[in-house]
Amino acid sequence: MNTELTTLALNQRTLFCLRFTPDSFAAQDLLWLPHHPMLARAVMSRKAEHLAGRIAAVHALRHAGGPATPPGIGAHREPLWPAGFTGSITHAGNLALAAVKPTGERFSSLGIDYQPLLTANDAQKLADGVLSGDERARIQAASVPFHLALSQIFSAKESLFKALFPAVQNWFGFECAQAVALTSDTVTLELTCPLGPFIIGSRFTLGWLPFGDGIVTLADL
């Protein structure tokens, strides 16, 4: 599969970005993954994006001082990272990104998300499924266009939930966090329900930046 690797920095973390050409994917490319039998029934596009994400993840692991071992697949389809490391993978279209860091004795996790910028029409359609409580009023009072703010919040929630998943070990909905502040480079989310060791009202400030035709967000816990 044809790929092109670049990096970008967000909140002092290095993200590895892999652009790939899905049409160049061949079935034998997947044999590079130790867990390739688990993808046997997946459609070709899914196989290509999964492979791209794992390639980016291996580069991120090497950068963090870890082994060049593609993360496996957990019971909830989450990446399984080598002992002593944690990370996150995201992909959309022909782009995959990954970030990794070493873990310590305390809970440590990363969550990243790449969100293609929503159109104004799509933002209105998705808003009710993404926003809750005072979020809509908060966005409308801000100087940011609604579709951009919703893209930021959508992506930030995805990143935060990925980062919290190792502590919760279950998926949870967008209503479990509310955006309480938006700036030119951050989104602050507040939990509306307890998740793992984190109580209601816990706040997390995530970094974001524009990238390609969308935005990237990072939760670094």
Side-chain angles (χ1 to χ4, degrees), residues 77-109:
R77 312 301 293 175
E78 78 279 13
L80 295 179
W81 300 97
F85 295 88
T86 186
S88 185
I89 302 170
T90 184
H91 35 64
N94 66 342
L95 180 67
L97 297 94
V100 172
K101 69 175 180 178
T103 56
E105 294 181 0
R106 300 175 60 184
F107 177 75
S108 181
S109 189

Side-chain angles (χ1 to χ4, degrees), residues 148-214:
L148 174 57
L150 189 70
S151 298
Q152 294 168 352
I153 293 172
F154 185 105
S155 183
K157 290 186 179 185
E158 289 281 356
S159 288
L160 180 62
F161 293 168
K162 286 181 182 180
L164 293 178
F165 181 84
V168 180
Q169 287 296 304
N170 203 356
W171 299 116
F172 34 91
F174 283 124
E175 73 280 359
C176 286
Q178 286 192 27
V180 294
L182 296 173
T183 74
S184 60
D185 57 6
T186 64
V187 179
T188 300
L189 299 177
E190 180 179 279
L191 295 188
T192 58
C193 59
L195 294 175
F198 301 100
I199 63 173
I200 293 175
S202 297
R203 289 193 174 191
F204 306 88
T205 297
L206 290 73
W208 78 272
L209 53 76
F211 184 68
D213 297 324

Side-chain angles (χ1 to χ4, degrees), residues 111-179:
I112 63 170
D113 181 72
Y114 171 70
Q115 171 61 47
L117 190 63
L118 295 169
T119 64
N121 187 47
D122 286 342
Q124 292 297 333
K125 291 179 180 178
L126 292 173
D128 287 343
V130 177
L131 305 176
S132 60
D134 298 328
E135 286 182 299
R136 185 184 286 271
R138 202 168 285 125
I139 289 177
Q140 291 172 338
S143 58
V144 180
F146 185 84
H147 72 285
L148 174 57
L150 189 70
S151 298
Q152 294 168 352
I153 293 172
F154 185 105
S155 183
K157 290 186 179 185
E158 289 281 356
S159 288
L160 180 62
F161 293 168
K162 286 181 182 180
L164 293 178
F165 181 84
V168 180
Q169 287 296 304
N170 203 356
W171 299 116
F172 34 91
F174 283 124
E175 73 280 359
C176 286
Q178 286 192 27

